[in-house]
Amino acid sequence: PDQPTPTQTASKPSQTAAARPAKPGRNQPAKPPQRAETLFRQAENSASRLMQQEYLREALQQDPRHLPARHKLLGILAREPASLELKHFLDESLALFPDNLKFITTLAHYHIQQKNFPAAIASLEQVDDYAVNDLHYLALLAAAYQQQQQFAKALPVYQKLARLQPEKAENWLGLGICSDKLQQPAGAVQAYRQALDKNALAPRVVDYINQRLNALTH
């Protein structure tokens, strides 16, 4: 039989199948989010605080938006609340999560530790306090306003605290002081009496309340 010429052979279409994409195998390197999750689990299972920090820092290098790892590392760093390392970490975290209440309140507490109440207020005011029922956040905001003698701003926050946590004497005390400073004697008397009813205040605070009640009711 006749044999195909070289030209005929070259002109035939190739029968070779297209290469299929390789399937990921068990030995394929994990993606950064997966690696971050693995490191976070290792931190969770570690009894050493130093090793926890190492695992968490590496996890955040792999995935900076791994929020559980950020929260856990924050809990470790916040044990030294005045450290610059904590401040840098909070700034970094808020750049990624500007509305995260945990980061906001921790930064405000850092500023309060530094006696920088205006900075604490500026941090807390990033959040709409009317939409937040977090007691820690509200207590920090009310105390910062009161310390700066911004009683008109502190008053509604203490009113909300008294509604949410009526058993706490400090909420009523703060409400009484703000009402007193704003020359609202009826509200001050009512709040002061509520604070006394809780029987949870230091003797010197009780003496102060009794002095104010005496002045307001006579």
Side-chain angles (χ1 to χ4, degrees), residues 180 185 189 209-218:
D180 200 350
V189 168
I209 292 176
N210 285 325
Q211 290 173 8
R212 294 307 304 148
L213 285 172
N214 185 60
L216 291 167
T217 55
H218 291 87

Side-chain angles (χ1 to χ4, degrees), residues 56-73:
L56 293 169
R57 290 183 192 282
E58 189 176 345
L60 293 175
Q61 287 179 356
Q62 296 290 324
D63 182 8
R65 298 188 66 86
H66 194 294
L67 194 55
R70 283 202 173 271
H71 281 170
K72 188 169 183 65
L73 183 55

Side-chain angles (χ1 to χ4, degrees), residues 48-115:
S48 165
R49 190 187 306 174
L50 181 61
M51 288 305 301
Q52 286 178 359
Q53 289 191 58
E54 291 298 320
Y55 285 134
L56 293 169
R57 290 183 192 282
E58 189 176 345
L60 293 175
Q61 287 179 356
Q62 296 290 324
D63 182 8
R65 298 188 66 86
H66 194 294
L67 194 55
R70 283 202 173 271
H71 281 170
K72 188 169 183 65
L73 183 55
L74 175 64
I76 295 172
L77 296 178
R79 295 179 184 182
E80 298 181 11
S83 71
L84 286 175
E85 184 180 10
L86 172 63
K87 176 64 165 56
H88 294 324
F89 179 76
L90 287 168
D91 289 341
E92 174 190 279
S93 299
L94 284 167
L96 294 169
F97 303 98
D99 299 324
N100 186 285
L101 201 59
K102 193 176 187 69
F103 297 139
I104 289 171
T105 54
T106 307
L107 180 59
H109 191 262
Y110 171 87
H111 287 310
I112 289 173
Q113 292 284 326
Q114 301 293 316
K115 307 298 182 185

